[in-house]
Amino acid sequence: MMWYDGGWGWGGWVVMTVVMVLFWAVLIFGLVALVRYLTGAHHHQQPGAPPPPGAGGWQGRRAEDLLAERFARGEIDEEEYRRRLALLREHR
């Protein structure tokens, strides 16, 4: 009976328990990440959402929308709005 004197004792049980919990945590995390990747929102586009970057003129349209929002909130006056809008449209 060599296990009684040279065994790990309670330390072995603690190490095995920690390793088992870590193993299951990594496995569950991996499965959840895989499912979220395969069914995630990046695969589905909401109706009315802007097209992804690089899809024909989207960047210029978004800049005009942001400028219009700033004007609507009163952050810039009408003169500034028209000047910046003309500059945006000139560089498209």
Side-chain angles (χ1 to χ4, degrees):
M1 304 289 176
M2 61 192 248
W3 292 108
Y4 290 113
D5 291 333
W8 284 18
W10 284 102
W13 287 102
V14 171
V15 170
M16 285 192 307
T17 302
V18 168
V19 168
M20 181 181 65
V21 168
L22 286 175
F23 169 77
W24 284 108
V26 167
L27 184 69
I28 290 170
F29 176 78
L31 288 173
V32 168
L34 180 65
V35 168
R36 289 187 67 165
Y37 174 76
L38 293 176
T39 63
H42 63 277
H43 289 289
H44 307 289
Q45 192 158 22
Q46 306 247 343
W58 175 75
Q59 292 87 357
R61 187 70 225 149
R62 182 67 180 140
E64 289 180 15
D65 291 342
L66 290 173
L67 189 60
E69 288 174 14
R70 289 187 64 197
F71 177 62
R73 286 192 302 257
E75 294 177 11
I76 57 176
D77 61 2
E78 185 177 356
E79 180 183 335
E80 180 75 9
Y81 171 73
R82 291 190 188 282
R83 187 179 63 78
R84 290 184 182 209
L85 186 60
L87 189 64
L88 281 173
R89 290 181 176 166
E90 183 179 298
H91 289 288
R92 254 201 280 169

